[in-house]
Amino acid sequence: MRKGQYRFVAGFLLVPVALYLIFVIWPYIQTFGYSLTDWKGQSQTFSFVGLDNYEALFRDDIFMGAIWHNILFLVFIPVITILLALFFAFMLNAGGRGRAGGVSGVAGSKFYRVVYFFPQVLSLAILAVLFRAVYRSDGGGMLNGALVKLGLVDADRPVEWLNEPDFVLWALIVVVVWHGVGFYLVLFSAAMQSIPKDIYEAALIDGASRGQSFFRITLPLLWDSVQTAWVYLGIAAMDMFILVSTMTSGEFGGGPDHHSEVMATVMMRNFLYYGKSGYACAMGVIMLLLTLILSVVMLRATRRERIEF
């Protein structure tokens, strides 16, 4: 009977595993193979060049700068998004005043959940179009218009948010954080609602403040959710292709003067515009390796004993 069960399960797994190998694993293998050649993309004739493409990558100042920009995104996007999402989730679930019914969220918490989650229903492409209007470099831009009205910016010299090297990365980070906070707020709220209210009430009776309740109760019990959010946000920070290619200047974005380049934009430009497909495949392999290493490091660094309640 057990042998028959194994055959039954193997029969159901055969087709999905085969499809996964063909459409997921095989393209990765092909990409690595092409990265060892001088493939031009359109031509089917190419030569084996070994590790020359990888050696050229580390001499490519634009690609190395793009890696640095991805690292900056990797540092700031997860930290800011998770901190804001945790704060808002805590306030919506346990930040209200003590009442006879026990611990509760702030007044209107259900409405706030909808407001915070709203950006998540919009695609990144739509957000890119909206924030291009927000960051417009004239008085018609929402941000510049508000600053002009407040007298903080001269109407004749508005801020070039997406064309200033010092501002462009921060402008992109704001968009990603604004888009992601609502989703992780809902994720953390769902995890907080599984925490018994009696724990919070006992802490309040013992004289614990809201801050102590958050750091001593909420955060330790939400650590698994925080760990998951950190990995997903880290992977998103290693991509950033849609926003950079849509919001910034240049072919596939990256402007001004490559100050907003990320690995994905450099790769696509080399693949589609410069005809360096083998070189671009090497970039793709480096992106894959960095993302895998990032995921493992984050999971290891944030691993801790699970707390039961």
Side-chain angles (χ1 to χ4, degrees), residues 4 8 33 52 119 132 161 202 211 234 265 286 290 299 308:
F8 180 77
D52 289 355
R132 279 183 67 89
W161 297 103
T265 57
I286 295 298
L290 290 177
L299 288 173
E308 300 289 344

Side-chain angles (χ1 to χ4, degrees), residues 100-111:
V103 175
S104 62
V106 297
S109 58
K110 293 182 179 179
F111 171 75

Side-chain angles (χ1 to χ4, degrees), residues 5 11 32 37 57 63 103 108 130 138 143 145 164 166 196 220 222-223 231 234 238 246 248 254 299:
Q5 288 179 342
F32 177 72
T37 69
L57 282 179
F63 185 71
V103 175
L130 292 176
D138 55 31
L143 185 54
E164 284 286 344
D166 296 333
L222 291 184
W223 196 253
V231 172
M238 294 296 288
T246 308
T248 59
L299 288 173

